[in-house]
Amino acid sequence: MSSTTSSSTTVDRNQPYTIELIKPEDHEAVLSMLKTFFFKDEPLNTFLNLGECSDLEKYSMKSLSDNCSYKAVNKSGDIIGVFINGLLKRPAATDAPPEKAADGCSHPKFKKILGLMDHVEEKFNIFDIYPNEEQILDGKILSVDTNYRGMGIAGKLTERAYEFMLANQISVYHVMCTSHYSAVVMEKLGFHEVFNMQFADYKKDGEVVFKPAAPHVGVRVLVKELGKEVPKSLL
């Protein structure tokens, strides 16, 4: 996940916006928003100078079919923020080991990013610390148009996801952050760290793979546990 750092223009910061489910007809607009902000600003993408990458686009959009991703929309109908989520399901003991995400990637630079994610999943299994959970909500991409930052949009998108969790008896919200800024945002929203790994400790053939600019120093996995009862703020 990443926060945006692009230059801003003047907008009416008091204008209303709504939080809505991302539907199939929104996919083109969501992808356009990600290309404008998230893809350019994510620290690993920037370090690798990733550029146009159809594999990244497909990866970013594939969890929308889980119907638990949300958009912030301004009064003009423009998407000004998204939180793309997916569902993590506990594997059965009889399941075959899952395929590595990097194995099916043909783009050499994005393959490096997927390789890092595979490595984190090898070292850390969220279900090990939540033995009673069969399903966990996985926050994949949180991105807000820079012109609308500071308006509480990230928090409202996250609150809408809480409603989904409560309706579907899901107690744990999981995010993996490669951006220092997005990790700080999630901590402000009440998430806490359960795993971290410095980029300097991730090596291939003895060489550090990622050296993004400060303050981005590593991967952090954060979670928030949600009670079964609806918080008063959501009533």
Side-chain angles (χ1 to χ4, degrees), residues 66-173:
D66 288 338
N67 294 315
C68 51
S69 297
Y70 301 97
K71 61 180 179 176
V73 182
N74 68 10
K75 62 183 180 181
S76 300
D78 301 319
I79 295 177
I80 57 175
V82 296
F83 203 159
I84 297 179
N85 301 293
L87 295 172
L88 296 176
K89 298 182 180 180
R90 179 185 295 278
T94 55
D95 288 350
E99 292 185 5
K100 302 294 185 185
D103 289 347
C105 181
S106 59
H107 192 287
K109 291 183 178 180
F110 188 52
K111 189 181 184 77
K112 291 182 179 180
I113 295 175
L114 293 179
L116 171 65
M117 294 180 179
D118 287 337
H119 181 74
V120 171
E121 291 184 2
E122 289 175 2
K123 293 178 69 67
F124 174 76
N125 183 350
I126 187 67
F127 289 103
D128 287 344
I129 60 174
Y130 294 103
N132 297 321
E133 301 301 321
E134 293 299 320
Q135 191 166 240
I136 289 173
L137 190 64
D138 181 27
K140 295 181 176 295
I141 296 175
L142 174 60
S143 183
V144 175
D145 182 325
T146 1
N147 300 315
Y148 294 85
R149 296 189 69 184
M151 296 172 61
I153 292 174
K156 293 298 184 183
L157 287 165
T158 307
E159 285 185 2
R160 182 62 185 84
Y162 297 160
E163 295 180 23
F164 173 87
M165 293 171 66
L166 292 164
N168 291 274
Q169 298 296 298
I170 298 173
S171 300
V172 180
Y173 204 162

Side-chain angles (χ1 to χ4, degrees), residues 11-12 28 33 35 39 41 47 55 74 76 86 89 101 103 147 164 169 224:
V11 299
D12 177 6
E28 184 176 341
M33 192 261 184
K35 286 182 176 180
F39 292 171
D41 296 328
F47 171 73
D55 284 357
N74 68 10
S76 300
K89 298 182 180 180
D103 289 347
N147 300 315
F164 173 87
Q169 298 296 298
K224 183 167 183 176

